[in-house]
Coordinates of all heavy atoms in Angstrom, one line a residue:
R62 N 138.6 186.8 147.4 CA 139.6 186.1 148.1 C 139.9 184.8 147.4 O 139.0 184.2 146.8 CB 139.0 185.7 149.5 CG 138.8 186.9 150.4 CD 140.1 187.5 150.9 NE 139.8 188.6 151.9 CZ 140.1 189.8 151.7 NH1 140.6 190.2 150.5 NH2 139.9 190.7 152.6
G63 N 141.1 184.3 147.6 CA 141.5 183.0 147.1 C 141.4 182.0 148.1 O 141.3 182.2 149.3
Y64 N 141.3 180.7 147.6 CA 141.1 179.6 148.5 C 142.0 178.4 148.0 O 142.0 178.1 146.8 CB 139.7 179.1 148.6 CG 138.7 180.2 149.1 CD1 138.1 181.1 148.2 CD2 138.5 180.4 150.4 CE1 137.3 182.1 148.6 CE2 137.7 181.4 150.9 CZ 137.1 182.3 150.0 OH 136.4 183.3 150.5
L65 N 142.7 177.8 148.9 CA 143.4 176.6 148.6 C 142.7 175.4 149.3 O 142.3 175.5 150.5 CB 144.9 176.6 149.1 CG 145.7 177.7 148.5 CD1 147.2 177.6 149.1 CD2 145.8 177.6 147.0
H66 N 142.7 174.3 148.6 CA 142.1 173.1 149.2 C 143.0 171.9 148.8 O 143.5 171.8 147.8 CB 140.7 172.8 148.5 CG 139.7 173.9 148.6 ND1 139.0 174.2 149.7 CD2 139.4 174.9 147.7 CE1 138.2 175.3 149.5 NE2 138.5 175.7 148.3
H67 N 143.0 170.9 149.8 CA 143.6 169.6 149.5 C 145.1 169.6 149.0 O 145.4 168.9 148.1 CB 142.8 168.8 148.6 CG 141.4 168.5 149.0 ND1 141.0 168.6 150.3 CD2 140.3 168.1 148.3 CE1 139.7 168.3 150.4 NE2 139.3 168.0 149.2
L68 N 145.9 170.5 149.6 CA 147.3 170.4 149.2 C 147.8 169.1 149.8 O 147.7 168.8 150.9 CB 148.1 171.6 149.9 CG 149.6 171.4 149.7 CD1 150.0 171.6 148.2 CD2 150.4 172.5 150.5
A69 N 148.4 168.3 148.9 CA 148.9 167.0 149.3 C 150.2 166.7 148.5 O 150.3 167.0 147.3 CB 147.9 165.9 149.0
V70 N 151.2 166.1 149.2 CA 152.4 165.6 148.6 C 152.6 164.2 149.1 O 152.5 163.9 150.3 CB 153.6 166.5 149.0 CG1 154.9 165.9 148.4 CG2 153.4 168.0 148.4
A71 N 152.9 163.3 148.2 CA 153.1 161.9 148.5 C 154.3 161.8 149.6 O 155.2 162.6 149.5 CB 153.5 161.1 147.3
P72 N 154.1 161.0 150.6 CA 155.1 161.0 151.7 C 156.5 160.8 151.3 O 157.4 161.5 151.8 CB 154.6 159.7 152.5 CG 153.1 159.7 152.3 CD 152.9 160.1 150.8
A73 N 156.8 160.0 150.3 CA 158.2 159.9 149.8 C 158.8 161.1 149.2 O 160.0 161.2 149.0 CB 158.3 158.7 148.9
Y74 N 158.0 162.1 148.9 CA 158.4 163.3 148.2 C 158.3 164.5 149.0 O 158.6 165.6 148.6 CB 157.6 163.5 146.9 CG 157.9 162.5 145.8 CD1 157.4 161.2 145.8 CD2 158.9 162.8 144.8 CE1 157.7 160.3 144.9 CE2 159.2 161.9 143.9 CZ 158.6 160.6 143.9 OH 159.0 159.7 142.9
R75 N 158.0 164.4 150.3 CA 157.9 165.5 151.2 C 159.3 166.1 151.6 O 160.3 165.4 151.4 CB 157.1 165.2 152.4 CG 155.7 164.9 152.1 CD 154.8 164.5 153.3 NE 153.5 164.1 152.8 CZ 152.6 163.5 153.6 NH1 152.9 163.1 154.8 NH2 151.4 163.2 153.1
R76 N 159.3 167.3 152.0 CA 160.5 168.0 152.4 C 161.5 168.3 151.3 O 162.7 168.3 151.5 CB 161.1 167.3 153.6 CG 160.2 167.2 154.8 CD 161.0 167.0 156.1 NE 160.1 166.8 157.2 CZ 159.5 167.8 157.9 NH1 159.8 169.1 157.6 NH2 158.7 167.6 158.9
Q77 N 160.9 168.4 150.1 CA 161.7 168.7 148.9 C 161.3 170.0 148.3 O 161.7 170.3 147.2 CB 161.6 167.5 147.9 CG 162.1 166.2 148.4 CD 162.0 165.1 147.4 OE1 162.1 165.3 146.2 NE2 161.8 163.9 147.9
G78 N 160.3 170.7 148.9 CA 159.8 172.0 148.4 C 158.7 171.9 147.4 O 158.3 172.9 146.8
I79 N 158.2 170.7 147.2 CA 157.1 170.5 146.2 C 155.8 171.2 146.7 O 155.2 171.9 145.9 CB 156.8 169.0 146.0 CG1 158.1 168.4 145.3 CG2 155.6 168.7 145.1 CD1 158.1 166.8 145.2

Side-chain angles (χ1 to χ4, degrees):
R62 295 288 186 248
Y64 300 92
L65 297 183
H66 306 276
H67 298 343
L68 173 67
V70 175
Y74 288 84
R75 292 181 185 164
R76 301 199 181 279
Q77 297 178 33
I79 295 169

